Amino acid sequence: MAANATGPAPRVYLAAATRVTDDDAAARLLASSAFVPGRSLVLAAAAGAPDAQAAGSCALVHDRIERLTVRCHASAPSFAVVADAFFAGWYATVDGAPAPILRANLAMRAVPVPAGDSTVELAYRPAHLGAGAVTSLFALLVAAWLTVRAYRRRA
């Protein structure tokens, strides 16, 4: 990856320059001097997003394990980039409306933001958590039913 003389890249940033390409070309681009950590963004071609340029910034407002709130200001439509691992179970809204989360820089998350001021909220709600709760509740009900049935047989 290209060296950044000003220190490590921020955890959250507004993409100033976005390139859309396949994974092989993305890996080469991420290793080149054309990629600037904390400013550049490389998206997978499957994301359906166009190459873009924008000025502005994003700031992390709330940071919890399962929820992030980011405020952005962009001169043109762009992407809020979160330098956390891209992983299933995350959902995003932009100004309260559902928004897609795209795989950024091969391993991070990016959410499209409109020009102007916007608030991005990311929440982690894995589907397997709900299924586990339903399974546990069912098992508890069966155990309670078997216990009641065993007491009635003894009586």
Side-chain angles (χ1 to χ4, degrees), residues 138-154:
F138 178 73
L140 181 64
L141 291 173
V142 168
W145 177 74
L146 289 172
T147 302
V148 168
R149 186 175 165 200
Y151 278 123
R152 285 186 179 168
R153 282 192 174 175
R154 286 186 185 181

Side-chain angles (χ1 to χ4, degrees), residues 19 22 30 38 53 55 57 62 95-96 105-107 116-117 131 139 148:
R19 292 278 310 271
D22 62 58
L30 289 169
Q53 300 275 330
S57 64
H62 292 103
D95 296 329
N105 302 337
L106 294 177
D117 295 323
V148 168

Side-chain angles (χ1 to χ4, degrees), residues 1 9-19 30 35-43 52 54 56-61 68-74 77-86 92 94 100-113 118 120-122:
M1 206 177 277
R11 181 169 173 216
V12 175
Y13 65 93
L14 182 79
T18 302
R19 292 278 310 271
L30 289 169
F35 182 82
V36 180
R39 297 193 37 79
S40 300
L41 170 63
V42 180
L43 290 175
S57 64
C58 287
L60 187 59
V61 178
L68 300 173
T69 302
V70 178
R71 292 226 175 92
C72 297
H73 176 77
S78 185
F79 296 87
V81 180
V82 179
D84 292 344
F86 181 84
V94 176
I101 299 176
L102 308 174
R103 186 170 55 98
N105 302 337
L106 294 177
M108 299 175 185
R109 292 179 269 164
V111 178
V113 294
S118 56
V120 178
E121 294 193 45
L122 293 118

